[in-house]
Amino acid sequence: MGNDAAMDLLATLFAELSDPWPEACFLAEPAGELVAANQAGARMLGMPVRELAGKRLTDFVVNPADKVLQHLAVCVRNRQPIPGVLSCRDSAGQEVHYRSIGYRIDARPDGRPLVFLRCSLRQSVTSKFVVLNQQLEKQQAIQDQLLKERDHLQREIAERKRAEEELRKASALLAMIIENIPNMIFLKDARDLRFVRFNHAAEELLGCTREDLLGKNDHDLFPRDQADFFTEKDREVLRRKTILDIPEEPLLTSAGVKRTLHTTKVPILDARGEPEYLLGISEDITDRKQAEEEKLAIEKHLQQVQKLESLGVLAGGIAHDFNNILTAIIGNADLALMRINRVSPATENLRRIEEAASRAADLAKQMLAYSGKGKFVVESIDLNSLLEEMLNMLQVSISKKAVLRLNLHPHLPAVKADATQIRQIVMNLVINASEAIADKSGVIAITTGCMDCDRNYLKDIWLDENISEGLYVYLEVADTGCGMNRETMAKIFDPFFTTKFTGRGLGMAAVLGIVRGHKGAIRVYSEPGKGTTFKILLPAASKPAELFNHDCLKDHWRGEGKVLLVDDEETVRGIGAEMLKELGFVPLTAEDGREAILIYRENPDIAFVILDLTMPHMDGEECFRELRRLNPDIKVIMSSGYNEQEVTQKFVGKGLFGFIQKPYKVSSIREVIRKIL
C-alpha cells in the first residue's frame, strides 16, 4: 500500500474514532493542509468531510494565516498539549470562537509529524472521557470484526496487517491523549474501590508512582478523615449511577502538601447497567483559588490604604487651616488679656476662650498625627526605658481591676522616634485596653522585643505599602477584654469611629498616623471574648548591643550554608537570625515543629538545625524524631532555658549534636556550631 493509501486509512480510522465526539477534531499538516476531520469539524468549517481533505485550514478561519501556521509549528515542536483559539464565521456572519488544544502526532510510516487539533465551544472534561470510554469499546469491536473476517481475507493479509498497525497507533493515540491530559485521571474497581489506573498527572499531583498506587484504596493512601470523605462520595456515585461534581475537594499529598481539587466522578456501567468502574477526573485548583483569595485581599487592602491616604490628606489640610484660625483666636485672646483691666467681667470669658482654643489646638495636633505630617522631634530612644518611665502614669490611668504587666526584652536596639509621640501611642493603646476590660478583672500586658521581619510576615499588616524587610523593634499591648469582631476591626483606624458613648474617635487614627510618620507598621489580633493585641513595629536604628559583644569581636570565625532556626518566640527568631547572619550563615526560621518539617523537606541542603525544646503543635522532641526520619545524619542543636543536663538526658544515644542554653550570645552560639562542623 502506498503512502496515499496509508493516509486514506488514517483518515478513515480518525473519522470512525472521532465522529461521535461533540468536539471538532482535525488532523493537519504543519503547513496547514487538512488530512482528516470528524463530522463536528465539518460542521465547524461548513463543508462536508469528504471535501475537506487537502484544503488549507487558513482558508476557513478568521485568524491571520501566519498566526495559525505559527500555532501549528509550536504544536510540532512540543510534546505537551498546546492551547489556542480558532475563530470561524457562522451562517449569520458572526464570529464564533473555539478553544483549541493541539497535540503532535507521530502516526506516519515516514516519521513526519501531524498535528491533532481538538476544538470546542465549552470544555466539558467529564463528557469527553465518557466518549473516550465508548471509543475504546468501539475500537475493540472493530478489532474483533477484523479477526472474524481473517479467513475470508487471506489474499489481503498484508493489507490487514497494515490496518492492525494503524489500529494499534489509534489506540496508542487515545492512551497518549489520556496520559497527557493535565488533569488527574483515575479509575477504580466498583466492587472494592481499589485503583486500577492512573495517568501521569495523577503521579505528579500525589507524589507517587503508579506502581505504588495501583491495587490500593483511599484508606491505604490518605489520612482517615480524608479517605472517609472520598469513599463516601464514591459510594454515592455508584449508588445513584449518576455523575457527581465536587467543586472543592481537599487533598493531602504524600509530601504533606495540602491541595484543593475540583473533581468529577462518573460511574462506568456494564452491559447490564450495573457499575463496573468509577472514573474520576480531578483538576488542581489550589493555585487558582489562592490567587483569587490573594487578589481579593490585595484589592481590599488597596481600598483601605487609598481611603486612609485620602482621609489623611483631608485631615492634614483641615488641621493646617484650623491651626491658622486658632493662631488668630489665641493671639487675640492673649493680647486682650494683656490690655484689659484685670477686674473686668470679660476677663473670665477671655480665659475660657483661650482654654477652648488650646483644646482645639490639641485636636488639630491629633489630626496632623493621623495624616502622618505632625511635628516629630526624632531622637534615638530606648523603648524599654521610656515604658519604665511611664509605668506610674499608666497605672493610675487604668481601671482598678486591671493588672498592668511589663514584659521587656533586654538589650533592645534603639529606635529613631519622637518620644512624645511614642508616649501618646502607648497611652492610647493602654487606655483602650483598660476600657475593653471595663468593670471586670483583667490583665494588660506590655511586651517589647525585636524580630527579623520578612515579606511573608509583613503582608498582613497595616501600612505595608512602603515598608521594607529587616530588623524591627516591636511594642505589643495585649488585653484580656471583650475583643472585637471583624466588622469592628475593619473600622478601628477610621477617623471619628468609636465604640464608646463619648469621645471623638481620633485616638486610634492618631496612632496610625504616628506609626506612618515613623515608617512603621501595625498588626492587630482580636477575637470577641478573647481580648485584643496591638503590635507596633518600628524600624530598628541599630543592632542590639548584646548581640555583638566584646568577646565575639575578637573572633572572626565565620561559617556558610543554610541553617534552620526553630522557635515559637518571635524575639528569639529575630535575634537568632541576626546572630547567624553575622556568622556568615543564611538563616531560615520556623515558629513550630510542623513548619520546620515542611521547610526541611523543601531545603534538604540545610547544614544544621537549632531547635527549641518547648513549642506548641509539635514540640522539639517530636520534631527531632521527625527530622531524624527524614535524614538520619541530620545535625541538630537543642536550645532551651532549662539546664543542659536536664535536656540532654532525654536524647542520650539518639544522635543529638549539641545544646545551647538561653539566653545565648554570639560567642556561645559560635562555640557550639564550631564543635559540630
Side-chain angles (χ1 to χ4, degrees), residues 393-554:
M393 180 174 61
L394 293 173
Q395 287 176 330
V396 300
S397 301
I398 63 176
S399 166
K400 298 296 183 183
K401 293 188 177 182
V403 177
L404 185 64
R405 293 177 181 170
L406 294 185
N407 303 313
L408 307 182
H409 190 277
H411 313 297
L412 279 184
V415 292
K416 294 287 187 181
D418 183 321
T420 301
Q421 300 287 349
I422 300 301
R423 289 189 186 96
Q424 182 178 347
I425 290 177
V426 175
M427 186 62 72
N428 281 345
L429 294 179
V430 170
I431 290 175
N432 282 350
S434 175
E435 291 175 346
I437 293 172
D439 295 332
K440 300 177 182 178
S441 297
V443 176
I444 301 172
I446 303 177
T447 305
T448 62
C450 65
M451 58 186 297
D452 200 7
C453 297
D454 57 16
R455 179 49 55 190
N456 187 53
Y457 182 84
L458 295 173
K459 70 179 182 180
D460 295 325
I461 62 173
W462 290 79
L463 303 173
D464 70 338
E465 61 269 21
N466 295 313
I467 196 167
S468 58
E469 297 179 350
L471 190 65
Y472 284 80
V473 173
Y474 66 80
L475 164 68
E476 187 175 274
V477 178
D479 66 68
T480 58
C482 58
M484 296 181 288
N485 57 29
R486 290 182 177 272
E487 291 74 16
T488 302
M489 286 179 64
K491 300 176 182 178
I492 54 175
F493 295 113
D494 289 357
F496 308 110
F497 174 77
T498 179
T499 58
K500 310 166 193 173
F501 291 108
T502 60
R504 295 187 298 269
L506 276 174
M508 293 309 300
V511 167
L512 186 70
I514 293 170
V515 174
R516 178 196 288 127
H518 285 81
K519 295 181 173 56
I522 304 177
R523 290 197 76 162
V524 185
Y525 315 83
S526 187
E527 289 185 42
K530 295 185 179 180
T532 301
T533 300
F534 285 90
K535 176 177 281 190
I536 309 296
L537 297 172
L538 298 172
S542 62
K543 296 179 180 177
E546 186 67 13
L547 187 62
F548 306 110
N549 52 71
H550 180 71
D551 293 336
C552 73
L553 292 174
K554 296 178 182 179

Side-chain angles (χ1 to χ4, degrees), residues 31-103:
E33 182 179 336
L34 291 170
V35 175
N38 67 351
Q39 293 298 329
R43 290 193 296 273
M44 171 180 165
L45 301 184
M47 181 175 286
V49 171
R50 63 181 177 276
E51 298 179 19
L52 283 174
K55 298 290 193 297
R56 294 184 64 81
L57 179 62
T58 52
D59 295 337
F60 296 94
V61 298
V62 180
N63 310 65
D66 58 333
K67 298 295 184 182
V68 175
L69 296 177
Q70 182 180 359
H71 176 67
L72 294 175
V74 172
C75 293
V76 170
R77 289 197 301 270
N78 289 273
R79 295 286 181 179
Q80 299 297 323
I82 306 298
V85 176
L86 290 178
S87 302
C88 297
R89 295 194 183 276
D90 60 14
S91 58
Q94 298 293 321
E95 280 194 26
V96 181
H97 303 289
Y98 294 82
R99 174 181 171 82
S100 169
I101 304 293
Y103 305 82

Side-chain angles (χ1 to χ4, degrees), residues 32-325:
E33 182 179 336
L34 291 170
V35 175
N38 67 351
Q39 293 298 329
R43 290 193 296 273
M44 171 180 165
L45 301 184
M47 181 175 286
V49 171
R50 63 181 177 276
E51 298 179 19
L52 283 174
K55 298 290 193 297
R56 294 184 64 81
L57 179 62
T58 52
D59 295 337
F60 296 94
V61 298
V62 180
N63 310 65
D66 58 333
K67 298 295 184 182
V68 175
L69 296 177
Q70 182 180 359
H71 176 67
L72 294 175
V74 172
C75 293
V76 170
R77 289 197 301 270
N78 289 273
R79 295 286 181 179
Q80 299 297 323
I82 306 298
V85 176
L86 290 178
S87 302
C88 297
R89 295 194 183 276
D90 60 14
S91 58
Q94 298 293 321
E95 280 194 26
V96 181
H97 303 289
Y98 294 82
R99 174 181 171 82
S100 169
I101 304 293
Y103 305 82
R104 171 184 172 131
I105 303 296
D106 295 311
R108 292 197 289 202
D110 58 8
R112 289 183 297 144
L114 293 171
V115 178
F116 169 51
L117 295 174
R118 188 188 68 210
C119 308
S120 61
L121 285 170
R122 181 177 63 185
Q123 187 179 20
S124 175
V125 178
T126 302
S127 62
K128 175 176 61 181
F129 286 101
V130 171
V131 171
L132 285 178
N133 187 64
Q134 294 170 349
Q135 294 310 305
L136 285 172
E137 293 176 355
K138 185 174 181 179
Q139 171 193 325
Q140 187 62 46
I142 293 172
Q143 187 174 4
D144 292 343
Q145 184 64 29
L146 288 173
L147 293 173
K148 289 179 182 178
E149 296 178 358
R150 179 179 54 187
D151 295 337
H152 303 287
L153 299 174
Q154 290 295 332
R155 292 173 297 176
E156 301 178 8
I157 189 169
E159 180 68 25
R160 188 197 67 232
K161 288 183 178 179
R162 291 190 181 92
E164 289 176 350
E165 177 63 18
E166 294 298 333
L167 190 60
R168 185 193 64 78
K169 289 181 178 179
S171 178
L173 172 62
L174 293 178
M176 182 180 65
I177 292 173
I178 293 174
E179 195 66 16
N180 288 281
I181 290 293
N183 297 336
M184 177 173 75
I185 300 174
F186 59 87
L187 198 66
K188 292 182 178 180
D189 191 312
R191 293 170 299 177
D192 54 12
L193 295 178
R194 294 188 179 276
F195 292 100
V196 297
R197 184 163 184 179
F198 278 96
N199 69 343
H200 179 68
E203 293 179 299
E204 292 289 326
L205 180 62
L206 299 177
C208 303
T209 64
R210 64 190 71 190
E211 288 76 15
D212 296 329
L213 300 169
L214 295 178
K216 297 181 179 178
N217 59 31
D218 290 323
H219 287 87
D220 296 328
L221 301 172
F222 306 111
R224 181 172 180 176
D225 56 342
Q226 187 171 294
D228 288 344
F229 175 80
F230 294 156
T231 303
E232 179 187 351
K233 296 299 180 183
D234 291 346
R235 288 173 177 161
E236 181 181 346
V237 172
L238 297 175
R239 184 176 65 255
R240 296 184 178 182
K241 302 179 184 180
T242 57
I243 296 172
L244 177 65
D245 184 73
I246 308 171
E248 289 190 10
E249 188 174 53
L251 175 74
L252 185 67
T253 68
S254 61
V257 179
K258 294 181 180 179
R259 311 297 293 178
T260 302
L261 307 180
H262 176 195
T263 299
T264 302
K265 295 187 175 181
V266 184
I268 307 299
L269 308 179
D270 60 16
R272 298 171 299 160
E274 294 300 321
E276 185 172 359
Y277 296 102
L278 183 139
L279 173 68
I281 305 102
S282 297
E283 179 186 5
D284 186 354
I285 60 171
T286 308
D287 295 338
R288 184 175 70 198
K289 183 180 178 183
Q290 183 178 354
E292 290 172 353
E293 291 174 351
E294 289 178 353
K295 181 181 177 182
L296 290 174
I298 290 172
E299 289 175 351
K300 183 177 179 181
H301 181 73
L302 183 60
Q303 291 173 356
Q304 184 68 24
V305 169
Q306 290 173 339
K307 180 179 74 172
L308 293 176
E309 189 66 30
S310 299
L311 290 171
V313 172
L314 177 63
I318 293 173
H320 181 269
D321 293 341
F322 197 30
N323 273 331
N324 290 338
I325 297 170

Side-chain angles (χ1 to χ4, degrees), residues 577-677:
E578 285 295 320
M579 289 180 177
L580 291 168
K581 286 179 184 177
E582 188 66 20
L583 293 176
F585 295 102
V586 178
L588 306 174
T589 61
E591 65 179 11
D592 57 42
R594 291 179 184 174
E595 187 180 3
I597 298 300
L598 292 176
I599 292 175
Y600 189 81
R601 282 197 178 108
E602 295 171 358
N603 299 272
D605 56 337
I606 288 173
F608 60 90
V609 179
I610 299 177
L611 183 61
D612 185 25
L613 180 63
T614 307
M615 296 180 293
H617 305 309
M618 181 187 287
D619 62 17
E621 196 170 352
E622 185 179 354
C623 182
F624 175 76
R625 289 197 299 269
E626 291 297 323
L627 289 170
R628 292 272 294 175
R629 287 194 187 100
L630 293 174
N631 179 8
D633 299 323
I634 188 171
K635 297 178 179 179
V636 177
I637 299 171
M638 194 61 66
S639 171
S640 176
Y642 298 110
N643 62 60
E644 182 172 0
Q645 183 179 1
E646 186 175 352
V647 173
T648 55
Q649 67 180 5
K650 297 182 179 181
F651 299 92
V652 173
K654 297 181 180 179
L656 185 67
F657 272 76
F659 172 81
I660 186 166
Q661 188 165 2
K662 298 178 183 178
Y664 45 77
K665 301 179 180 180
V666 172
S667 57
S668 56
I669 198 171
R670 176 192 282 114
E671 181 180 350
V672 174
I673 293 171
R674 267 180 169 175
K675 290 179 180 178
I676 71 169
L677 295 181

